[in-house]
Amino acid sequence: MILINIISLLLLLGACVSESETGPPGWREPPDCVRASELCNQNSQCSSRYRIMRQCLSGGDKERSAMLASRECQGALEVLQESPLYDCRCKRGMKKELQCLQNFWSIHMGLTEGEEFYETSPYEPIHFSEEFRHASIISDSSLSKLSPCSEAGKPCNPCLDAAKACNLNETCKRLRFAYNSICSKATPPQSSVANQEPCSRKRCQKALRQFFERVSWELSYPLLFCSCPDQACAERRRRTIVPSCSHQERHRPSCLELRHTCRSDALCRSRLADFHTNCQVTPHTATSCPHDNYHGCLMSYVGLIGSDVTPNYSDNSPSNISISLWCSCRGGGQQEAQCEAFHRDFTHNTCLKNAILSFGYGAEGGGASVTELPSTFLGPAQPPVISKPAPSLHAIKPMDSACVFSTCANLQDGGQKCVSSEEFECEESLLARESMGSQDLAGPRSGGGGGKSPPGLQLCVGVLVLPALRRLSLL
Amino acid sequence: SRTKRARKPRPCDLRKLVLKVSELGLGYESDEEMVLKYCSGRCTAHRQNYDLTMRHMVQTAFHNQRRDKVSSGPCCRPTAFEEALTFLDNRSRYHIIQNVSAKNCGCV
């Protein structure tokens, strides 16, 4: 009986996996850039040109353009454009991601000379996935059913619910603790003065990147994109990434300076290019997002957190969402327009705002999206955008719920066990309980708290099930 | 069979409870909810001769001559704590609490 259940669950999940894994038909995946450079190195002509190309790009900013103009470098570039390195891409969170990105830029930097305002994203396109539909399961059904927001008279704070869901998951709790303790000057109760050390920005940003890379987005996105009815909630949302350490600095640099810093780092440069690819306001779609793909935009936004261009909410306004970088364009002189244009992609980005609102509000997203004129920097005047949330966000088919099951079986088992209270064998613990004047730990709350399945923990863990499926087919 | 199982005392093990940080009694005001793991259950099976002797001493020798208090059996206590927990309090400040949630239990 159990076996049958497991098999049927795997089959359902198999359906879920295959649906989200298949790309558009006829679309062949480009090789990743680590593999591409291996292929290039097997060919003597390609590898020698690749070596030349890397030398062409090794100098500083000024030398580089002169070097690139030379005949040798141009020749190398020409050969490399025919190689697998030319159209290679990288996967988010892949093994050797940094190496892959460095390989990508080693040829693409030569193609553009780093002069382009928007650069090609080195990452694979984010498919129009079934995945994001699951987001609406979290925000529509699981959370809103269990969240206090649905109960009249109780305070409503979806960001608090997101924190709870994270606390109930071991990985999320552990990695949230990791970045919080590094980023915040958090005060342990006793030694509050003695232990206070200033935060290390670099370590903090690394811990943030790890949090968003390793925690499933079903748990991390609600912390960052929760919808808020009041300022207290919005302040919690704003503080999610511990902005005092990760976002703000004593000195507020020029936005172009910030962009320059970012572009000199392969990872930051890639994340920025990815953000521009996926969150660029477009007049051609209903949502203002490229291909109406909210998930793509949110994913690339999250990718920037922990980089030199870490964006964040600029205030604790609950409904009027405003995102910015820690930089300014005042006194930028000639380049002020370019500087503004760069920053406006964060501050006045209709696509990004719609994506955030749509994630946070789920079904009510229709009433919450923004209509705003997109940045005028981008050429011809554009008509006002009619914003409505992507239809895919709200259509929940029965199939979707089949992919959902709890990954928290242990916790629930444990929870149910908590219900009954036991006598203590120890006299001292009995004494202690009396002196504390506290209630029995397993008392009144446990029935409601421990036994119930926690909200937001229902995940589609299709990826984890793949090996299991393979094993099954071997039998 | 259900009633029988319910009556049978359970051995010492780790149990879980979901509650608000402010309910921990440590003075923090935060509505953030967390999992508190604690140790509970009987340690009867882990009694040593020491425990049997102590129980006897309390009833006889200690009772007459001294007022020493001793525990008459091993206690179900945490043998290790979970790593610290961070949370935002209701004024949006981060805090860390250590050694509040049990990781392993033992009869000691």
Side-chain angles (χ1 to χ4, degrees), chain A residues 177-240:
Chain A
F177 167 71
Y179 84 73
N180 274 343
S181 57
I182 294 170
C183 299
S184 62
K185 295 168 189 171
T187 50
Q190 282 92 29
S191 55
S192 58
V193 189
N195 262 6
Q196 225 173 42
E197 54 174 36
C199 86
S200 156
R201 190 177 168 83
K202 285 285 163 222
R203 283 181 63 222
C204 166
Q205 294 189 328
K206 190 179 176 197
L208 271 170
R209 288 201 303 273
Q210 279 179 346
F211 177 81
F212 286 106
E213 271 160 28
R214 294 185 195 168
V215 174
S216 79
W217 63 270
E218 287 96 331
L219 290 170
S220 61
Y221 286 25
L223 282 168
L224 201 55
F225 304 126
C226 41
S227 67
C228 281
D230 56 45
Q231 282 196 351
C233 170
E235 181 61 13
R236 171 177 277 277
R237 178 174 66 190
R238 192 182 75 80
R239 297 224 186 179
T240 301

Coordinates of all heavy atoms in Angstrom, one line a residue, chain A residues 177-240:
Chain A
F177 N 19.8 32.4 9.7 CA 20.6 32.7 10.9 C 22.0 33.1 10.4 O 22.6 34.1 10.9 CB 20.7 31.5 11.8 CG 21.8 31.7 12.9 CD1 21.6 32.6 13.9 CD2 22.9 30.9 12.8 CE1 22.6 32.8 14.9 CE2 23.9 31.1 13.8 CZ 23.8 32.0 14.8
A178 N 22.6 32.3 9.5 CA 23.9 32.6 9.0 C 24.1 34.0 8.5 O 25.0 34.8 9.0 CB 24.3 31.6 7.9
Y179 N 23.2 34.5 7.6 CA 23.4 35.8 7.1 C 23.0 36.9 8.1 O 23.6 38.0 8.2 CB 22.7 36.0 5.7 CG 21.3 36.4 5.7 CD1 20.8 37.7 6.1 CD2 20.3 35.5 5.3 CE1 19.5 38.0 6.0 CE2 19.0 35.8 5.2 CZ 18.6 37.1 5.6 OH 17.2 37.4 5.5
N180 N 22.0 36.6 8.9 CA 21.6 37.6 9.9 C 22.7 37.8 10.9 O 23.0 39.0 11.3 CB 20.4 37.1 10.7 CG 19.1 37.5 10.0 OD1 19.1 38.3 9.1 ND2 18.0 36.8 10.3
S181 N 23.3 36.8 11.4 CA 24.4 36.9 12.4 C 25.6 37.6 11.9 O 26.3 38.4 12.6 CB 24.7 35.6 13.1 OG 25.2 34.7 12.1
I182 N 25.9 37.4 10.6 CA 27.0 38.1 10.0 C 26.7 39.5 9.7 O 27.5 40.4 9.9 CB 27.5 37.3 8.7 CG1 28.0 35.9 9.1 CG2 28.6 38.1 8.0 CD1 28.3 35.0 7.9
C183 N 25.5 39.7 9.1 CA 25.2 41.1 8.6 C 24.7 42.1 9.7 O 25.0 43.3 9.6 CB 24.0 41.0 7.6 SG 24.4 40.0 6.1
S184 N 24.1 41.5 10.7 CA 23.5 42.5 11.7 C 24.4 42.6 12.9 O 25.1 41.6 13.3 CB 22.1 42.1 12.1 OG 22.2 40.8 12.8
K185 N 24.4 43.7 13.5 CA 25.1 43.8 14.8 C 24.1 43.3 15.8 O 23.8 44.0 16.8 CB 25.5 45.2 15.1 CG 26.5 45.7 14.1 CD 26.7 47.2 14.2 CE 27.5 47.8 13.1 NZ 27.5 49.3 13.1
A186 N 23.7 42.1 15.6 CA 22.7 41.5 16.5 C 23.2 41.4 17.9 O 24.4 41.1 18.1 CB 22.3 40.1 16.0
T187 N 22.4 41.6 18.9 CA 22.9 41.6 20.2 C 22.5 40.3 21.0 O 21.3 40.1 21.1 CB 22.3 42.8 21.0 OG1 20.9 42.8 20.7 CG2 22.9 44.1 20.5
P188 N 23.4 39.5 21.3 CA 23.1 38.4 22.2 C 22.6 39.0 23.6 O 23.2 40.1 24.0 CB 24.4 37.6 22.4 CG 25.4 38.3 21.4 CD 24.9 39.7 21.1
P189 N 21.7 38.4 24.2 CA 21.1 39.0 25.4 C 22.1 39.5 26.5 O 21.9 40.6 27.0 CB 20.2 37.8 25.9 CG 20.6 36.6 25.2 CD 21.2 37.0 23.9
Q190 N 23.1 38.6 26.8 CA 23.9 39.1 28.0 C 25.0 40.0 27.5 O 25.1 41.2 27.9 CB 24.6 37.8 28.6 CG 23.6 37.1 29.5 CD 22.9 36.0 28.8 OE1 23.4 35.4 27.9 NE2 21.6 35.7 29.2
S191 N 25.9 39.5 26.7 CA 27.1 40.3 26.4 C 26.9 41.2 25.2 O 27.6 41.2 24.2 CB 28.3 39.3 26.0 OG 27.8 38.5 25.0
S192 N 25.9 42.1 25.4 CA 25.5 42.9 24.2 C 26.6 43.9 23.9 O 26.8 44.2 22.7 CB 24.2 43.6 24.6 OG 24.4 44.4 25.7
V193 N 27.3 44.5 24.8 CA 28.3 45.5 24.5 C 29.6 44.9 24.1 O 30.2 45.3 23.1 CB 28.5 46.4 25.8 CG1 29.4 47.6 25.4 CG2 27.2 46.9 26.3
A194 N 30.0 43.8 24.8 CA 31.3 43.2 24.6 C 31.5 42.6 23.2 O 32.5 42.8 22.5 CB 31.6 42.2 25.6
N195 N 30.4 42.0 22.7 CA 30.5 41.2 21.5 C 30.3 42.0 20.2 O 30.3 41.5 19.1 CB 29.6 40.0 21.5 CG 30.3 38.8 21.9 OD1 31.5 38.9 22.3 ND2 29.7 37.7 21.9
Q196 N 29.9 43.3 20.4 CA 29.5 44.0 19.2 C 30.7 44.3 18.3 O 31.6 45.0 18.6 CB 28.9 45.3 19.6 CG 27.6 45.6 18.9 CD 26.9 46.8 19.4 OE1 27.5 47.8 19.7 NE2 25.6 46.7 19.6
E197 N 30.6 43.7 17.1 CA 31.7 44.0 16.1 C 31.0 44.6 14.9 O 29.8 44.2 14.5 CB 32.4 42.7 15.8 CG 31.6 41.6 15.3 CD 32.4 40.4 14.9 OE1 33.5 40.2 15.5 OE2 32.0 39.7 13.9
P198 N 31.7 45.4 14.2 CA 31.1 46.0 13.0 C 30.9 44.9 11.9 O 31.6 44.0 11.9 CB 32.1 47.0 12.5 CG 33.4 46.6 13.1 CD 33.0 45.9 14.4
C199 N 29.8 45.1 11.1 CA 29.6 44.0 10.2 C 30.6 44.0 9.0 O 31.1 45.1 8.7 CB 28.2 44.2 9.6 SG 28.1 45.3 8.1
S200 N 30.8 42.9 8.5 CA 31.7 42.8 7.4 C 30.9 42.7 6.1 O 30.2 41.7 5.9 CB 32.6 41.6 7.5 OG 33.1 41.2 6.2
R201 N 31.0 43.8 5.3 CA 30.1 43.9 4.1 C 30.3 42.7 3.2 O 29.3 42.1 2.7 CB 30.4 45.2 3.5 CG 29.4 45.6 2.4 CD 29.8 47.0 1.9 NE 29.1 47.3 0.7 CZ 27.9 47.8 0.6 NH1 27.2 48.0 1.7 NH2 27.3 48.1 -0.5
K202 N 31.5 42.4 2.9 CA 31.8 41.3 1.9 C 31.2 39.9 2.4 O 30.6 39.2 1.7 CB 33.3 41.2 1.7 CG 33.9 42.3 0.8 CD 33.5 42.1 -0.7 CE 33.7 43.3 -1.5 NZ 32.6 43.5 -2.4
R203 N 31.5 39.7 3.7 CA 31.0 38.4 4.3 C 29.5 38.3 4.3 O 28.9 37.3 4.0 CB 31.6 38.2 5.7 CG 33.1 37.7 5.6 CD 33.6 37.5 7.1 NE 32.8 36.4 7.7 CZ 32.4 36.5 9.0 NH1 32.7 37.6 9.7 NH2 31.8 35.5 9.6
C204 N 28.9 39.5 4.6 CA 27.5 39.6 4.7 C 26.9 39.3 3.3 O 25.9 38.6 3.2 CB 27.1 41.0 5.2 SG 25.4 41.4 4.9
Q205 N 27.4 39.9 2.3 CA 26.9 39.8 1.0 C 27.1 38.3 0.5 O 26.2 37.8 -0.2 CB 27.6 40.8 0.0 CG 27.2 42.2 0.4 CD 27.6 43.2 -0.6 OE1 28.6 43.1 -1.3 NE2 26.8 44.3 -0.7
K206 N 28.1 37.7 0.9 CA 28.3 36.3 0.5 C 27.3 35.4 1.1 O 26.7 34.5 0.5 CB 29.7 35.8 0.9 CG 30.1 34.5 0.3 CD 31.5 34.0 0.6 CE 31.7 32.6 0.1 NZ 32.8 32.0 0.7
A207 N 27.0 35.7 2.4 CA 26.0 34.9 3.2 C 24.6 35.1 2.6 O 23.8 34.2 2.5 CB 26.1 35.3 4.6
L208 N 24.4 36.3 2.1 CA 23.1 36.6 1.5 C 22.9 35.8 0.2 O 21.9 35.3 -0.1 CB 22.9 38.1 1.2 CG 22.3 39.0 2.3 CD1 22.5 40.4 2.0 CD2 20.9 38.6 2.5
R209 N 24.0 35.8 -0.6 CA 24.0 35.1 -1.9 C 23.7 33.6 -1.6 O 22.9 33.0 -2.3 CB 25.3 35.3 -2.6 CG 25.5 36.6 -3.2 CD 26.5 36.6 -4.4 NE 27.8 36.1 -4.0 CZ 28.8 36.8 -3.5 NH1 28.6 38.1 -3.3 NH2 29.9 36.3 -3.2
Q210 N 24.4 33.1 -0.6 CA 24.2 31.7 -0.3 C 22.8 31.4 0.2 O 22.2 30.4 -0.2 CB 25.2 31.3 0.9 CG 26.5 31.0 0.3 CD 27.5 30.6 1.4 OE1 27.3 30.7 2.6 NE2 28.7 30.0 1.0
F211 N 22.2 32.3 0.9 CA 20.8 32.1 1.4 C 19.9 32.0 0.2 O 19.1 31.1 0.0 CB 20.4 33.3 2.3 CG 18.9 33.2 2.7 CD1 18.5 32.4 3.7 CD2 18.0 34.0 2.0 CE1 17.2 32.4 4.1 CE2 16.6 33.9 2.4 CZ 16.2 33.1 3.4
F212 N 20.0 33.0 -0.8 CA 19.1 33.0 -1.9 C 19.4 31.9 -2.9 O 18.6 31.5 -3.7 CB 19.1 34.3 -2.6 CG 18.3 35.3 -1.8 CD1 18.9 36.3 -1.0 CD2 16.9 35.3 -1.6 CE1 18.2 37.2 -0.3 CE2 16.2 36.2 -0.9 CZ 16.9 37.1 -0.2
E213 N 20.7 31.4 -2.9 CA 21.0 30.3 -3.8 C 20.5 28.9 -3.3 O 20.1 28.1 -4.0 CB 22.5 30.2 -4.1 CG 22.9 31.1 -5.3 CD 24.4 31.5 -5.2 OE1 25.2 30.7 -4.7 OE2 24.7 32.6 -5.8
R214 N 20.6 28.7 -2.0 CA 20.4 27.4 -1.4 C 19.0 27.2 -0.9 O 18.6 26.1 -0.8 CB 21.4 27.1 -0.3 CG 22.8 27.0 -0.9 CD 23.8 26.6 0.1 NE 25.2 26.8 -0.4 CZ 26.2 26.8 0.4 NH1 26.1 26.5 1.7 NH2 27.4 27.0 -0.1
V215 N 18.3 28.3 -0.5 CA 17.0 28.1 0.0 C 16.0 28.1 -1.1 O 16.2 29.0 -2.0 CB 16.7 29.2 1.0 CG1 15.2 29.2 1.5 CG2 17.6 29.1 2.2
S216 N 15.0 27.3 -1.2 CA 14.1 27.2 -2.3 C 13.3 28.6 -2.3 O 13.0 29.2 -1.3 CB 13.2 26.1 -2.2 OG 12.2 26.4 -1.2
W217 N 13.0 29.0 -3.5 CA 12.4 30.3 -3.7 C 11.0 30.3 -3.0 O 10.6 31.4 -2.7 CB 12.4 30.7 -5.1 CG 11.5 29.8 -6.0 CD1 11.9 28.7 -6.7 CD2 10.1 30.0 -6.2 NE1 10.9 28.2 -7.3 CE2 9.7 28.9 -7.1 CE3 9.1 30.9 -5.8 CZ2 8.4 28.7 -7.5 CZ3 7.8 30.7 -6.3 CH2 7.5 29.6 -7.1
E218 N 10.4 29.2 -2.9 CA 9.1 29.2 -2.2 C 9.2 29.7 -0.8 O 8.2 30.2 -0.2 CB 8.5 27.8 -2.2 CG 8.0 27.3 -3.5 CD 9.1 26.4 -4.2 OE1 10.3 26.6 -4.0 OE2 8.7 25.5 -5.0
L219 N 10.4 29.6 -0.2 CA 10.5 30.1 1.2 C 11.2 31.5 1.2 O 10.9 32.3 2.1 CB 11.4 29.1 2.0 CG 10.6 27.8 2.3 CD1 11.6 26.8 2.9 CD2 9.5 28.0 3.3
S220 N 12.1 31.7 0.3 CA 12.9 33.0 0.4 C 12.1 34.1 -0.3 O 12.2 35.2 0.2 CB 14.3 32.8 -0.3 OG 14.1 32.4 -1.7
Y221 N 11.4 33.9 -1.4 CA 10.8 35.0 -2.0 C 9.7 35.6 -1.1 O 9.5 36.9 -1.1 CB 10.2 34.6 -3.4 CG 11.2 34.4 -4.5 CD1 12.5 34.2 -4.2 CD2 10.8 34.6 -5.8 CE1 13.5 34.0 -5.2 CE2 11.8 34.4 -6.8 CZ 13.1 34.1 -6.5 OH 14.0 34.0 -7.5
P222 N 8.9 34.8 -0.4 CA 7.9 35.4 0.4 C 8.5 36.4 1.5 O 7.8 37.3 1.9 CB 7.2 34.2 1.1 CG 7.3 33.2 0.1 CD 8.7 33.4 -0.5
L223 N 9.7 36.1 1.9 CA 10.3 37.0 2.9 C 10.6 38.4 2.3 O 10.6 39.4 2.9 CB 11.7 36.4 3.3 CG 11.7 35.3 4.4 CD1 13.0 34.7 4.5 CD2 11.2 35.9 5.7
L224 N 10.9 38.4 1.0 CA 11.4 39.6 0.3 C 10.2 40.3 -0.4 O 10.3 41.5 -0.5 CB 12.4 39.1 -0.7 CG 13.4 40.1 -1.3 CD1 14.2 40.8 -0.1 CD2 14.4 39.4 -2.2
F225 N 9.3 39.5 -0.9 CA 8.2 40.2 -1.7 C 6.8 40.0 -1.1 O 5.8 40.0 -1.8 CB 8.2 39.5 -3.1 CG 9.5 39.6 -3.8 CD1 10.1 38.4 -4.3 CD2 10.1 40.8 -4.0 CE1 11.3 38.5 -5.0 CE2 11.3 40.8 -4.7 CZ 11.9 39.7 -5.2
C226 N 6.8 39.9 0.2 CA 5.5 39.8 0.9 C 4.7 41.1 0.7 O 5.3 42.2 0.6 CB 5.7 39.5 2.4 SG 7.0 40.4 3.2
S227 N 3.4 41.0 0.7 CA 2.6 42.2 0.6 C 2.2 42.7 2.0 O 2.0 42.0 2.9 CB 1.3 41.9 -0.2 OG 0.5 41.0 0.6
C228 N 2.2 44.0 2.1 CA 2.1 44.6 3.5 C 0.9 45.5 3.6 O 0.7 46.4 2.8 CB 3.3 45.4 3.8 SG 4.6 44.3 4.3
P229 N 0.1 45.4 4.7 CA -1.0 46.3 4.9 C -0.6 47.5 5.7 O -1.2 48.6 5.7 CB -2.0 45.5 5.7 CG -1.2 44.5 6.4 CD 0.1 44.3 5.6
D230 N 0.6 47.5 6.4 CA 1.0 48.6 7.2 C 2.5 48.8 7.2 O 3.2 48.0 6.7 CB 0.4 48.4 8.7 CG 0.9 47.1 9.3 OD1 2.1 46.8 9.1 OD2 0.1 46.4 9.9
Q231 N 2.9 49.8 7.9 CA 4.3 50.2 7.9 C 5.2 49.2 8.7 O 6.3 49.0 8.3 CB 4.5 51.6 8.5 CG 4.1 52.7 7.6 CD 4.6 54.1 8.0 OE1 5.2 54.2 9.1 NE2 4.5 55.0 7.1
A232 N 4.7 48.7 9.8 CA 5.4 47.8 10.6 C 5.9 46.6 9.7 O 7.0 46.1 9.8 CB 4.7 47.3 11.8
C233 N 4.9 46.1 8.9 CA 5.1 45.0 8.1 C 6.1 45.4 7.0 O 7.1 44.6 6.7 CB 3.8 44.5 7.5 SG 4.0 43.3 6.1
A234 N 5.9 46.5 6.4 CA 6.8 47.0 5.3 C 8.2 47.2 5.8 O 9.2 47.1 5.1 CB 6.3 48.2 4.7
E235 N 8.4 47.6 7.1 CA 9.7 47.8 7.6 C 10.4 46.5 7.8 O 11.6 46.4 7.5 CB 9.6 48.6 9.0 CG 10.9 48.8 9.7 CD 11.8 49.8 8.9 OE1 11.4 50.4 7.9 OE2 13.0 49.8 9.3
R236 N 9.6 45.5 8.2 CA 10.2 44.1 8.3 C 10.7 43.7 6.9 O 11.7 43.1 6.8 CB 9.1 43.2 8.9 CG 9.4 41.7 8.8 CD 8.3 40.9 9.4 NE 8.5 40.8 10.9 CZ 9.3 40.0 11.5 NH1 10.0 39.1 10.8 NH2 9.4 40.0 12.8
R237 N 9.8 43.9 5.9 CA 10.2 43.6 4.5 C 11.5 44.3 4.1 O 12.4 43.7 3.5 CB 9.0 43.9 3.6 CG 9.3 43.6 2.2 CD 8.0 43.9 1.3 NE 7.7 45.3 1.3 CZ 6.5 45.8 0.8 NH1 5.6 45.0 0.4 NH2 6.3 47.1 0.9
R238 N 11.5 45.6 4.4 CA 12.7 46.3 4.0 C 14.0 45.8 4.7 O 15.1 45.8 4.1 CB 12.5 47.8 4.4 CG 13.5 48.8 3.8 CD 13.3 50.2 4.3 NE 13.7 50.4 5.7 CZ 15.0 50.6 6.0 NH1 15.9 50.6 5.1 NH2 15.3 50.8 7.3
R239 N 13.8 45.3 5.9 CA 15.0 44.8 6.7 C 15.4 43.4 6.4 O 16.3 42.9 7.0 CB 14.7 45.0 8.2 CG 14.5 46.4 8.6 CD 15.3 46.8 9.8 NE 14.9 48.1 10.2 CZ 15.4 48.7 11.3 NH1 16.3 48.0 12.0 NH2 15.1 49.9 11.6
T240 N 14.6 42.7 5.5 CA 14.9 41.3 5.2 C 16.4 41.1 4.9 O 17.0 40.1 5.4 CB 14.1 40.8 4.1 OG1 12.7 41.0 4.4 CG2 14.3 39.4 3.7

